[in-house]
Amino acid sequence: MTEPGLFELEAVVVGQPKRSQWRRYVGPALAVSTVEGTPLARVTHTDDTHSLLTKTSGEFIVRIKRRSRFGQFGPVRFHFTDAADQEVGTACARGLVKTRQLGVQTEQGRQLLLTRRGHLSDEWRLTESDPEGGPAPEILGRVSVSTIDTWLGLQQYVVETDPRLDVSERRTIVASVVCLHLLRRPPGDSAAPA
């Protein structure tokens, strides 16, 4: 029996790998693993605008490109491309608190929202419509963040998705969680997360 693929799992963990405060860290920026801790993939930043999601074997999964027209004050858009350089999804954040809501578009064009209820909330809900725009929408997933090392401020995101989401939609959601982390803690920034 073979292990399920990374995007066939309904729950994965995206987090900053633990590191020593005494030595310079040279590993990946983020690691993707099963809830039990089995490594599946890693994220590396090639510069402040490009990140790569690869399997632990080194096989390329998706490239994440960050674009922002007006610096930190304007909207930030992330484009996801596959090995053939085809766009397989996007994520967009607007407003002054860009980590409150992330608009996500999947490869098939499905529009989703990752929204947290308040600035201090540690959970984002995945829905097809804005939770504040009327009746409570159906929840298609959750992203919960926690601090795994208070001294270094290392973050971990547990990503739970509905069984009805397909593999390509889960790929977009995992890439969006990477974007969420980049918005909260940009590459090279040691400030506390937003």
Side-chain angles (χ1 to χ4, degrees):
M1 186 167 144
T2 61
E3 290 289 315
L6 165 60
F7 303 116
E8 293 171 358
L9 296 170
E10 291 174 21
V12 295
V13 176
V14 178
Q16 293 177 280
K18 292 190 177 181
R19 55 200 76 174
S20 168
Q21 63 180 340
W22 311 113
R23 288 189 216 128
R24 184 169 161 11
Y25 178 73
V26 294
L30 296 169
V32 183
S33 64
T34 63
V35 174
E36 295 79 23
T38 305
L40 300 168
R42 59 180 161 242
V43 177
T44 55
H45 304 309
T46 55
D47 57 35
D48 282 354
T49 58
H50 291 83
S51 301
L52 295 176
L53 175 62
T54 58
K55 292 183 180 177
T56 52
S57 65
E59 181 185 341
F60 176 85
I61 300 173
V62 72
R63 177 177 289 108
I64 302 169
K65 182 175 184 180
R66 178 182 181 145
R67 292 185 181 152
S68 178
R69 228 184 232 170
F70 305 107
Q72 65 182 359
F73 300 107
V76 178
R77 182 171 286 277
F78 297 90
H79 295 266
F80 313 140
T81 54
D82 62 12
D85 209 27
Q86 299 295 313
E87 189 165 276
V88 292
T90 61
C92 183
R94 294 183 171 84
L96 291 176
V97 182
K98 293 185 175 47
T99 59
R100 193 191 84 69
Q101 189 174 74
L102 203 60
V104 178
Q105 182 175 333
T106 67
E107 186 175 6
Q108 294 83 14
R110 186 176 187 184
Q111 301 287 332
L112 300 170
L113 294 169
L114 262 176
T115 308
R116 68 175 168 170
R117 287 196 281 205
H119 184 63
L120 299 177
S121 176
D122 61 357
E123 181 184 85
W124 285 260
R125 292 182 179 175
L126 182 66
T127 58
E128 284 191 286
S129 60
D130 195 333
E132 299 187 11
E138 181 180 14
I139 296 173
L140 300 172
R142 297 179 197 283
V143 177
S144 304
V145 65
S146 60
T147 302
I148 56 170
D149 185 320
T150 53
W151 181 261
L152 297 176
L154 301 181
Q155 303 292 301
Q156 171 180 282
Y157 303 80
V158 177
V159 184
E160 300 170 283
T161 54
D162 191 280
R164 293 171 293 173
L165 294 179
D166 67 26
V167 170
S168 68
E169 290 170 326
R170 287 196 180 111
R171 175 183 58 196
T172 303
I173 300 310
V174 170
S176 297
V177 171
V178 172
C179 299
L180 192 60
H181 178 77
L182 292 174
L183 290 168
R184 298 181 78 231
R185 185 185 293 266
D189 184 21
S190 61

